Amino acid sequence: MFDYIRNHTRLMGFLLALFIVPAFVLVGVDGYSNMGGRGETVAVVAGVPIKKDAWDAAHRAEVDRMRASQPNLDLKLFDSDEARYATLERMVRDLVLATAVQKSNLITSDQKLARDLQANEAIAALRKPDGTLDVERYRQLLAAQGMSPAGFEAQMRQDLSQQQVLQAVTASSFAPPTVADVALKAFFERREVQWLRLDPATFRDQVKVTDDEVAAYFNANPAQFQAPEQADVQYVVLDLESVTQGIAISDADLKAYYEQNASRYSTPEERRASHILITTSPTAPAAEREAAKAKATELLAQLRSKPDTFASVAKQHSQDPGSATSGGDLSFFQRGAMVKPFEDAAFALAKGDISEVVESEFGYHIIQLTDIRPSVQRPLEAVKGDILAELKRQLAQKEFAAKAEQFGNMVYEQSDSLAPVVERLQLKLQTADAVGRTPNASMPRVLANAKLLDALFSADSIEKKLNTESVEVGPNQLVSARVVTHRPAHTLALSEVSSQVRERLVAQKSQDLAREAGEKSLAAGKAGESVAKLSALQIVSRDKPLIFSPKELSSVLGADMASAPAWIGVDLGARGYGVYKVVRVLDREAPPAEIAAQELQQYTQWWGGAEGVAYLNFLKKRFKADIKVPRPAPLGSVTG
């Protein structure tokens, strides 16, 4: 079912990230009211403004979150007007829902919050063997996301409250099978089509661009040739790795540590024993326990006179089903493997000795020690590498903590240079050119941090050339940076971009020629004339789109078939122009019963989602939601 969705999971994941994943943590409407911020108002909900800098910060946070969760993700997917606008739409959506929660007095009880927290997979993984939560790991997990337990639980409570707003609509959605059947037949309708694509590349040789045209285009479109704000920077990194590399451990220290922790580098003593068990329970009546002990005592007396019969006596009388058949043999074991009374007795015996009757929670034992493997000390040379790594790790953690405080103090107190901290802590002064305000894959990894870049492009850093504060950009990793040279955003000179301008003009004119040729073929087809180079007749549908883009497929399947064949033209932008002859409509092939049932369920979910969107749009009108930024214009157009 819906193979075309499953076959494009990466695209669907990206769309989900853009349109569904919340952009940031809400703590009620007051959280928005208190955002403050600078810049123009880009949206308003119920009188609460969303400022441009808040929008920028939310989008940066989204990019950081996606980078952390998917390190190999192409960040260019988010570097577009469409992606930024999607972030703003999410902010508006969340503020609308937060307002609805407040106006409707919706709350999430402590019991509901506790149930959902217990069901959270990430939290469940932090449970100890006894079922209790590892609180320290819980705090560390949240701290890595820049949150506290109280903040995370507040977010969860707010999310659950917001879910109530739409659940009342979506959960009650119902789609009658007859209605779903009509809709699904229309959705999966098939059409026979021929097509012709005109590629701009085939028209490039016909294009001539003059110097005057290059200058005119440049002067008319200066915004297309802006150099972004950038800075050449110096920076210094203090991290645990560099501290560890600077630590030297002497052979004397290695030997001392080895001797002090000798038990860690030895094979523990092992003992092999056989036993005879007469079982009884600690809660059994006294008479039953006395009878069991009496039998064990009788067997012990028998063994004292004939020790070499231990195995045969065990086979005949031992009530331990796991060892009786092997003459009571328990093989080798270390301390901690047996119950304590048994262990104490076994490790007190000499090889070949038989113990007195030993009482444990399982009953009464007679133990014979059959062998001993003494503890073996591993030589220092064999464990030297392990000890060296352990000592360096311990010392580095202490030294890093001390240096981290020094680092933070020095970059703040001697804020006009990084040289003092470099000299004092023996760090490396590093440089990076053309650093921009937004994290990107071309930056050194330690600089691609939103908090650090915000500090680096602050007024103090740019105008006064001061060091940034010490910023933690990763676990045990601190960075401070300073601007050496700052270049504001500016329009590039024509001489710098003339080849780029010329290429754009060539591409634009090639597209124009492709469109003109396509429109002529379209007109010819509508007039009943022959159109050359049309493809062979093929069948397309939403679940079998062939090589059609979503735009092409939507145009072909939406063509008016009142007077077939229908001729459609689609401007494909940089891909040229497409001409499509839609010959006839074919009914959908009936799916198997199992698939039909799955599709009905999917349709019901779609219908519920559509009702949820409709209700959300109603709430937007009710709370006067207004996005003041124009929606990015779609490329190309459709003609028919």
Side-chain angles (χ1 to χ4, degrees), residues 274-278 299 303 310 313-314 317-318 328 364-367:
S274 297
H275 81 138
I276 297 169
L277 172 65
I278 306 300
L299 291 173
L303 291 169
F310 194 97
V313 172
H317 295 287
S318 180
Y364 295 94
H365 306 262
I366 303 170
I367 305 169

Side-chain angles (χ1 to χ4, degrees), residues 275-286 288-290 292-293 296-297 339-345 355-367:
H275 81 138
I276 297 169
L277 172 65
I278 306 300
T279 59
T280 184
S281 167
T283 59
E288 179 181 323
R289 294 183 58 77
E290 285 298 324
K293 183 177 182 181
T297 302
V339 293
K340 193 170 189 320
F342 189 102
E343 177 187 289
D344 289 345
S355 70
E356 298 297 328
V357 172
V358 177
E359 182 181 1
S360 79
E361 61 194 80
F362 301 104
Y364 295 94
H365 306 262
I366 303 170
I367 305 169

Side-chain angles (χ1 to χ4, degrees), residues 387-524:
I387 296 176
L388 184 62
E390 174 68 14
L391 281 175
K392 280 193 170 186
R393 185 189 64 79
Q394 293 179 7
L395 294 174
Q397 288 285 0
K398 294 179 182 178
E399 190 169 335
F400 178 81
K403 285 188 173 182
E405 183 175 0
Q406 279 186 288
F407 184 87
N409 290 338
M410 291 188 71
V411 299
Y412 175 75
E413 293 169 358
Q414 302 181 56
S415 57
D416 58 345
S417 174
L418 292 172
V421 74
V422 167
E423 182 178 354
R424 173 70 65 84
L425 300 183
Q426 297 298 297
L427 301 175
K428 179 182 178 181
L429 183 64
Q430 303 181 66
T431 61
D433 295 335
V435 174
R437 278 184 177 265
T438 304
N440 62 66
S442 65
M443 289 182 183
R445 185 179 59 81
V446 294
L447 295 183
N449 176 277
K451 183 177 180 181
L452 178 62
L453 290 173
D454 284 345
L456 191 59
F457 283 90
S458 68
D460 281 346
S461 292
I462 292 172
E463 297 169 9
K464 300 178 182 178
K465 299 294 189 293
L466 300 181
N467 301 336
T468 68
E469 63 181 338
S470 171
V471 178
E472 185 173 11
V473 298
N476 297 316
Q477 188 173 55
L478 302 175
V479 177
S480 177
R482 65 189 306 270
V483 173
V484 177
T485 305
H486 176 255
R487 293 181 292 279
H490 62 281
T491 301
L492 296 166
L494 176 57
S495 59
E496 297 177 87
V497 295
S498 59
S499 60
Q500 182 182 346
V501 177
R502 188 176 298 277
E503 177 56 33
R504 291 194 183 187
L505 280 170
V506 170
Q508 185 181 84
K509 288 190 174 188
S510 298
Q511 289 177 36
D512 291 342
L513 291 174
R515 185 180 62 255
E516 291 170 8
E519 288 173 345
K520 287 180 181 178
S521 295
L522 178 63

Side-chain angles (χ1 to χ4, degrees), residues 17-29:
L18 284 183
F19 297 107
I20 296 177
V21 179
F24 48 88
V25 178
L26 297 178
V27 192
V29 177

Side-chain angles (χ1 to χ4, degrees), residues 54-276:
W55 177 20
D56 293 340
H59 191 66
R60 285 197 300 271
E62 178 70 9
V63 173
D64 286 343
R65 181 162 47 251
M66 296 305 293
R67 179 195 290 110
S69 62
Q70 302 180 55
N72 296 324
L73 182 67
D74 184 359
L75 297 181
K76 291 180 181 178
L77 290 171
F78 295 89
D79 188 18
S80 68
D81 292 339
E82 290 83 356
R84 285 179 49 76
Y85 194 85
T87 298
L88 181 58
E89 287 185 310
R90 283 197 304 278
M91 297 175 75
V92 170
R93 173 188 182 275
D94 289 345
L95 182 48
V96 166
L97 292 176
T99 305
V101 166
Q102 185 184 66
K103 299 291 185 184
S104 303
N105 296 314
L106 297 175
I107 61 171
T108 296
S109 66
D110 292 341
Q111 293 81 0
K112 170 65 174 171
L113 177 62
R115 285 196 302 271
D116 278 72
L117 286 171
Q118 289 173 357
N120 187 295
E121 293 182 3
I123 295 177
L126 302 179
R127 296 196 179 280
K128 300 177 183 176
D130 62 2
T132 60
L133 181 66
D134 188 331
V135 176
E136 184 57 33
R137 289 180 62 203
Y138 175 56
R139 293 180 187 277
Q140 291 174 357
L141 175 66
L142 296 178
Q145 306 300 319
M147 302 176 68
S148 65
F152 173 70
E153 289 157 17
Q155 177 192 356
M156 284 283 291
R157 192 185 296 275
Q158 179 67 19
D159 289 346
L160 291 171
S161 297
Q162 289 186 12
Q163 289 173 15
Q164 296 179 60
V165 176
L166 297 180
Q167 276 180 345
V169 175
T170 58
S172 61
S173 176
F174 173 72
T178 52
V179 174
D181 184 58
V182 171
L184 289 169
K185 280 183 177 179
F187 186 78
F188 288 110
E189 176 186 272
R190 301 177 300 154
R191 294 192 172 191
E192 287 186 336
V193 61
Q194 294 175 277
W195 69 88
L196 166 66
R197 285 203 188 97
L198 295 127
D199 187 347
T202 61
F203 296 89
R204 286 181 67 92
D205 291 343
Q206 303 176 31
V207 174
K208 304 297 179 186
V209 176
T210 67
D211 291 342
D212 288 343
E213 288 176 316
V214 170
Y217 185 92
F218 175 80
N219 292 330
N221 300 278
Q224 295 183 17
F225 306 102
Q226 289 280 314
E229 179 184 17
Q230 293 180 333
D232 299 335
V233 305
Q234 294 177 335
Y235 66 99
V236 62
V237 180
L238 174 69
D239 57 18
L240 189 63
E241 182 181 352
S242 62
V243 172
T244 303
Q245 291 175 351
I247 292 176
I249 307 294
S250 69
D251 288 342
D253 289 337
L254 285 172
K255 184 177 180 182
Y257 187 87
Y258 172 77
E259 292 173 349
Q260 292 165 10
N261 297 272
S263 60
R264 293 178 55 186
Y265 305 107
S266 62
T267 301
E269 178 186 343
E270 292 183 317
R271 295 201 163 202
R272 186 171 190 169
S274 297
H275 81 138
I276 297 169

